[in-house]
Amino acid sequence: HKADPDERIAEATRQLEAAHASGEPGKIARALKTLGLVHLTLARDLDLAMDNFLQSLTIEDTLGFANRQTFSYIAIADVFTEVGNDQRSAEFLQQALNLNAETGNVKVFAFILNKFGKVNASLGNIEQALANYELVLANKDRINQPEVEAETLFNLANLHSSQGNYEEALRDHWRALSIRRSLNDKKNEAVSLSSIGELYRLMNNNARALANHIAALKIRRRLGDKKELAESLNNIGVIYYLNENHERAVANLSLALTNALEAQAQQEISKSYEFLSAAYKALGDFEKALDFKDLHYAILDFIQAERNERALLEIQNRYVIDQKESQIDQLESDRAQRDKELKTQKSIRNFLYA
């Protein structure tokens, strides 16, 4: 059951009204942030989300709530990530890290660094991304959250894989898998197994690739997520196709297609069509091969049209968010001025004391 955005917005708005009625700035700031998160994650209204986060940040800044401000900076960074402005996202994550250094919350420290790693990887700052993840792992005993350690290892493995460092990627994926198994986290265990399977395929070890994909499929059958089922069945179908076992390839790809269509998972539908066309061609059924080729081209056009639409929306959202830069700059300027005044007062006190 998915949360209804309108219901959640109405509920969060009522909370904000109650906070205003109480006249307590701390409650108002918290309610603003809750409403902002609903706009960001459910309603996808980035403009309103940013407005709420900035108002919350202004109140927290005035009250000197460093711990809460940290989360406002993270939320603002998430908005910038959504509009494709990773550079600004990185700046706000840095602000969050700086504030967190004052409060010393090691779990929040890990949370920020995992986000920072993804943003740095997206910016092409591979060394910094690696450093972000390694820093989390270096503090794993203090953080004491195995699921966070597993996520960090998983992110690190994907980064190594994207750089073609398959052995390192494999090592970190296995470590993540081991932790996820110990936590009985079945959903993420299947995700790890699937990633390991794809890694073995890239390393041309089809036997091990197949074994891991089948293990992921067994878990996903019990969990019943159609999109993930389609992904595993497609992966298995592709391995059978590469091994020239075309009948088995068709059987798995056809099942994948059924699940992908039910889940409306465009990328998986595209993959099913592409390899069904290739498998039928190899079997000499040129009519079916041509039918699936046509379907593959049609869905590629559809995916591209959707991508163009998203890109246009991202540009529009980015423009709207960039208009708020002056508010952000003013907030930063006010904070810098207040810090300066506090330092001056401290210097005067020290002088008088001396």
Side-chain angles (χ1 to χ4, degrees):
H1 172 71
K2 286 190 176 175
D4 179 77
D6 293 334
E7 278 178 31
R8 290 293 300 276
I9 287 168
E11 185 190 329
T13 305
R14 283 194 296 274
Q15 286 174 7
L16 180 57
E17 284 164 0
H20 275 297
S22 76
E24 293 179 43
K27 279 187 180 174
I28 296 168
R30 188 187 286 119
L32 280 164
K33 197 157 12 187
T34 301
L35 184 56
L37 287 168
V38 173
H39 281 305
L40 173 64
T41 57
L42 290 177
R44 316 294 300 151
D45 191 328
L46 305 183
D47 186 17
L48 280 174
M50 185 64 104
D51 275 343
N52 285 293
F53 294 146
L54 287 173
Q55 286 179 60
S56 178
L57 184 61
T58 305
I59 296 168
E60 289 159 353
D61 194 36
T62 309
L63 297 171
F65 287 173
N67 198 30
R68 289 204 209 160
Q69 268 180 279
T70 304
F71 286 101
S72 290
Y73 280 129
I74 294 167
I76 291 169
D78 284 346
V79 176
F80 278 118
T81 297
E82 283 294 320
V83 298
N85 193 342
D86 287 322
Q87 193 57 54
R88 284 300 267 157
S89 181
E91 287 168 22
F92 278 92
L93 287 172
Q94 187 60 56
Q95 297 263 40
L97 267 184
N98 296 345
L99 269 182
N100 186 67
E102 293 173 25
T103 59
N105 188 323
V106 73
K107 287 178 169 57
V108 177
F109 170 73
F111 181 67
I112 299 167
L113 283 173
N114 260 322
K115 280 185 177 286
F116 223 153
K118 287 180 183 172
V119 169
N120 272 322
S122 182
L123 285 166
N125 303 332
I126 304 303
E127 291 305 315
Q128 278 136 294
L130 287 169
N132 294 146
Y133 295 139
E134 294 291 359
L135 197 50
V136 176
L137 296 175
N139 288 278
K140 66 177 185 181
D141 293 336
R142 286 174 63 218
I143 296 161
N144 194 26
Q145 285 183 304
E147 67 280 6
V148 173
E149 185 187 347
E151 189 204 343
T152 307
L153 285 163
F154 183 79
N155 291 341
L156 191 54
N158 286 338
L159 192 59
H160 282 311
S161 183
S162 72
Q163 298 301 296
N165 303 324
Y166 298 147
E167 292 297 339
E168 289 97 324
L170 204 51
R171 177 200 65 205
D172 292 330
H173 270 315
W174 279 116
R175 285 167 68 194
L177 175 65
S178 173
I179 295 167
R180 285 169 169 178
R181 277 181 171 155
S182 72
L183 295 169
N184 200 29
D185 181 355
K186 289 296 176 190
K187 185 179 171 68
N188 279 317
E189 181 185 340
V191 171
S192 282
L193 285 165
S194 187
S195 296
I196 290 167
E198 280 304 272
L199 202 48
Y200 275 126
R201 185 183 62 78
L202 290 169
M203 296 166 83
N204 298 314
N205 189 335
N206 287 349
R208 284 196 170 177
L210 188 59
N212 281 281
H213 284 314
I214 288 170
L217 178 65
K218 282 179 182 172
I219 295 170
R220 285 173 166 174
R221 277 214 169 105
R222 288 201 298 275
L223 297 176
D225 184 303
K226 299 283 184 190
K227 182 177 182 290
E228 291 184 346
L229 266 173
E231 184 192 300
S232 283
L233 287 161
N234 263 335
N235 289 335
I236 291 166
V238 169
I239 300 292
Y240 279 129
Y241 171 76
L242 294 173
N243 288 344
E244 297 183 11
N245 189 339
H246 299 118
E247 287 90 352
R248 277 202 163 178
V250 166
N252 282 279
L253 292 165
S254 299
L255 273 174
L257 181 59
T258 303
N259 284 285
L261 287 166
E262 280 184 43
Q264 294 184 310
Q266 316 295 359
Q267 295 294 341
E268 297 306 326
I269 294 169
S270 171
K271 193 171 180 178
S272 299
Y273 284 156
E274 181 186 358
F275 282 94
L276 277 168
S277 173
Y280 275 120
K281 186 180 177 184
L283 286 166
D285 191 335
F286 299 112
E287 192 179 339
K288 277 188 177 171
L290 193 59
D291 286 346
F292 280 114
K293 197 176 203 52
D294 289 343
L295 286 166
H296 182 230
Y297 284 138
I299 197 158
L300 282 182
D301 287 343
F302 178 77
I303 290 169
Q304 189 55 51
E306 274 203 334
R307 201 173 282 146
N308 294 343
E309 206 174 299
R310 272 201 309 275
L312 183 62
L313 188 62
E314 192 175 282
I315 290 165
Q316 289 167 348
N317 280 329
R318 188 163 182 168
Y319 175 76
V320 168
I321 298 305
D322 285 348
Q323 298 307 297
K324 300 189 188 300
E325 290 285 332
S326 57
Q327 282 175 261
I328 296 167
D329 292 341
Q330 186 59 51
L331 198 64
E332 293 303 299
S333 170
D334 291 348
R335 196 161 70 85
Q337 182 62 33
R338 227 178 0 265
D339 286 350
K340 191 178 170 187
E341 284 168 9
L342 283 170
K343 276 180 188 163
T344 306
Q345 286 168 12
K346 197 175 178 183
S347 299
I348 292 167
R349 274 204 311 275
N350 290 343
F351 174 73
L352 290 172
Y353 179 72

